[in-house]
Amino acid sequence: MSLLNYFSTQPKSASIAKERLQIIVAHQRRERSSIMSDFLPDLQKELIEVVRKYIEIRDEDVNIRVEQAENYEVLEVNIALPDSSIVKIHTK
Amino acid sequence: MGNISYLLLRAEKLANQNSDPKIIVVTSGKGGVGKTTTSAAFATALALRNYPTVVIDFDVGLRNLDLVMGCERRVVFDFVQVINGECSLNQALIKDRRVENLYILPASQTRDKDALTLKGVARVLEALKKRFQYIICDSPAGIEHGAIMAMYFADEALIVTNPEVSSVRDSDRIIGMLASKTRRAVQNLEPIKEHLLLTRYVEKRVGRGDMISAKDVQEILAINLLGVIPESSSVLQSSNAGIPITLDQNSDAGEAYHDAVARFLGEEPPKRDKKGLFSRLFGN
Ligand SMILES: Nc1ncnc2c1ncn2[C@@H]1O[C@H](COP(=O)(O)OP(=O)(O)OP(=O)(O)O)[C@@H](O)[C@H]1O
Ligand SMILES: [Mg+2]
């Protein structure tokens, strides 16, 4: 197949752009409309504080993500615990 | 016949002038898409219609609007100095020498964007509202502090977009910010009225299929399309000379801006021998 042929059978770049943008914008808008996006930063801060009462962790050890599924959202909280040898367990 | 339409236009103007002053932010997210060009063009076209209009440069540290408006040599005081009480508002406002009712509030060249505070900006805007019908805020690029300062108090927004993927994506992010990080959003008021302004549009390339069309951009962003401004060498020429493009009688881009302003004001689009880009694309 000649190069010319190759290009003529490809969709035009503008329609590729449109398709990509439709996906991007839909994704951005879903994320914005998530009921959790408003309070996620606060939730993260408070979670860190709670966990710190018991285990010494750094801010960056806590990772929060909201996953979008068809018609529900998943809140994923990941807390990386430090090496057990240096864990300082707080006791009340 | 000409007389009658003139009278109608005047009556409409007088009615409009009694309405509340409006703050309009010109914003985009992405840099270099035409915000400053648009701010200067819109402000000038509104003032030409006798609306008292001021255009503010929010691009603190990187001012540009003074150049596009051709008043760079008359800048003595600036927006940040007004906020800090180092001069009066009147001392900082520059009156345009060509168009009645048109004023420019320049940005500072030496400070950075953090010099703007919500309280300070609010105070200056309140004072300007007493004198002007339209307050145009030329936003800096980006989605940080400076851009938020420019959009925070807006009643309406012109979202300047180029027919190109990164610009469209950034515009969508800006739409999200307008709906969440502004006074109207925070105070649960009626949302900011959004207008899409597509600029640097090359019809030929759209026809060839290598530039995304106005219809498609409008469909993707799903906000009201106010106008389509063609890519035009006259824009560079007029910015070279410090003349807002809407003062150029022979520019296709200037004409498209005038049509967009007419649509913004809810006027009938002016009848022309040759149909403008928007009319050809959307049939009105
Ligand atoms: N319709 C047009 N046709 C041709 N050139 C244009 C058009 N609109 C803007 N330009 C050019 O694009 C460049 C950027 O324009 P402008 O300064 O208005 O963008 P901006 O969005 O304000 O940029 P920044 O984000 O840096 O503030 C300028 O050189 C300007 O002359
Ligand atoms: Mg600019």
Side-chain angles (χ1 to χ4, degrees):
Chain A
M1 190 164 75
S2 77
L3 199 60
L4 206 70
N5 259 330
Y6 174 76
F7 277 113
S8 63
T9 55
Q10 285 289 89
K12 299 279 192 198
S13 71
S15 55
I16 301 172
K18 181 184 180 185
E19 231 168 79
R20 292 172 67 208
L21 278 168
Q22 278 171 326
I23 294 166
I24 293 164
V25 168
H27 179 80
Q28 288 188 154
R29 291 190 177 184
R30 253 200 324 271
E31 236 167 38
R32 288 207 291 269
S33 69
S34 162
I35 46 160
M36 284 183 269
S37 61
D38 286 349
F39 55 75
L40 222 50
D42 286 344
L43 178 64
Q44 174 150 6
K45 231 182 4 208
E46 285 180 43
L47 260 177
I48 292 172
E49 277 162 29
V50 171
V51 175
R52 264 207 195 121
K53 281 190 185 167
Y54 304 94
I55 311 167
E56 216 162 71
I57 52 161
R58 296 166 303 175
D59 284 5
E60 58 267 36
D61 291 334
V62 176
N63 218 317
I64 297 195
R65 255 172 20 128
V66 179
E67 278 284 331
Q68 307 282 337
E70 256 325 286
N71 44 16
Y72 59 93
E73 297 180 45
V74 180
L75 178 67
E76 191 185 303
V77 180
N78 239 305
I79 305 175
L81 296 180
D83 202 312
S84 62
S85 59
I86 57 162
V87 170
K88 190 177 118 207
I89 309 284
H90 297 277
T91 44
K92 284 204 212 162
Chain B
M1 186 60 204
N3 257 334
I4 291 170
S5 58
Y6 174 78
L7 281 175
L8 285 175
L9 196 65
R10 284 297 302 175
E12 192 174 29
K13 253 187 241 166
L14 288 175
N16 281 342
Q17 254 158 9
N18 291 329
S19 68
D20 288 339
K22 284 219 166 69
I23 300 173
I24 305 165
V25 62
V26 181
T27 182
S28 70
K30 189 170 158 65
V33 296
K35 293 178 292 296
T36 301
T37 305
T38 299
S39 300
F42 249 73
T44 304
L46 287 166
L48 283 172
R49 286 171 153 76
N50 289 327
Y51 294 104
T53 302
V54 61
V55 54
I56 309 175
D57 193 346
F58 273 78
D59 208 342
V60 175
L62 266 180
R63 77 168 176 235
N64 259 326
L65 181 70
D66 54 329
L67 286 171
V68 175
M69 294 295 298
C71 64
E72 69 277 7
R73 290 197 300 181
R74 296 167 61 209
V75 176
V76 183
F77 296 109
D78 62 63
F79 191 18
V80 172
Q81 286 173 306
V82 179
I83 286 178
N84 293 344
E86 292 159 25
C87 68
S88 71
L89 181 57
N90 272 329
Q91 283 175 306
L93 282 173
I94 302 172
K95 184 176 174 8
D96 191 271
R97 288 209 168 122
R98 300 153 297 206
V99 184
E100 273 293 304
N101 299 311
L102 180 58
Y103 288 79
I104 298 109
L105 184 54
S108 161
Q109 193 69 297
T110 52
R111 308 293 288 269
D112 65 42
K113 292 183 176 50
D114 294 334
L116 297 177
T117 59
L118 274 187
K119 245 193 191 154
V121 172
R123 205 163 7 89
V124 175
L125 290 177
E126 272 320 306
L128 290 171
K129 272 182 164 183
K130 300 204 171 81
R131 275 180 66 181
F132 296 99
Q133 179 69 34
Y134 288 106
I135 299 164
I136 314 283
C137 304
D138 179 16
S139 174
I143 53 172
E144 280 91 36
H145 184 75
I148 292 178
M149 290 299 115
M151 70 169 62
Y152 194 83
F153 297 100
D155 301 305
E156 305 202 23
L158 302 182
I159 298 157
V160 181
T161 308
N162 292 166
E164 171 263 321
V165 282
S166 53
S167 174
V168 176
R169 174 164 72 179
D170 284 4
S171 291
D172 180 61
R173 295 197 62 184
I174 286 291
I175 291 170
M177 289 173 63
L178 289 168
S180 63
K181 295 206 174 351
T182 53
R183 181 186 73 102
R184 282 177 175 271
V186 172
Q187 298 179 359
N188 260 321
L189 304 171
E190 199 182 310
I192 292 175
K193 205 167 160 193
E194 302 156 328
H195 308 272
L196 175 62
L197 197 68
L198 208 55
T199 67
R200 312 203 68 164
Y201 196 76
V202 187
E203 225 184 346
K204 258 199 208 132
R205 302 190 60 187
V206 172
R208 283 202 300 263
D210 57 10
M211 183 179 268
I212 187 162
S213 73
K215 274 203 177 80
D216 286 348
V217 177
Q218 198 276 329
E219 194 186 311
I220 289 161
L221 292 176
I223 58 173
N224 165 50
L225 179 63
L226 190 66
V228 182
I229 315 297
E231 170 80 21
S232 167
S233 57
S234 60
V235 173
L236 185 59
Q237 283 164 6
S238 79
S239 88
N240 283 341
I243 300 167
I245 192 68
T246 36
L247 283 182
D248 183 342
Q249 306 276 343
N250 302 313
S251 160
D252 50 349
E255 199 168 82
Y257 272 117
H258 274 293
D259 289 358
V261 169
R263 245 171 262 122
F264 178 82
L265 294 170
E267 293 169 4
E268 284 288 304
K271 297 268 180 292
R272 294 223 172 81
D273 302 342
K274 195 168 155 272
K275 274 194 157 191
L277 194 50
F278 188 93
S279 315
R280 284 208 304 285
L281 296 173
F282 296 94
N284 58 6

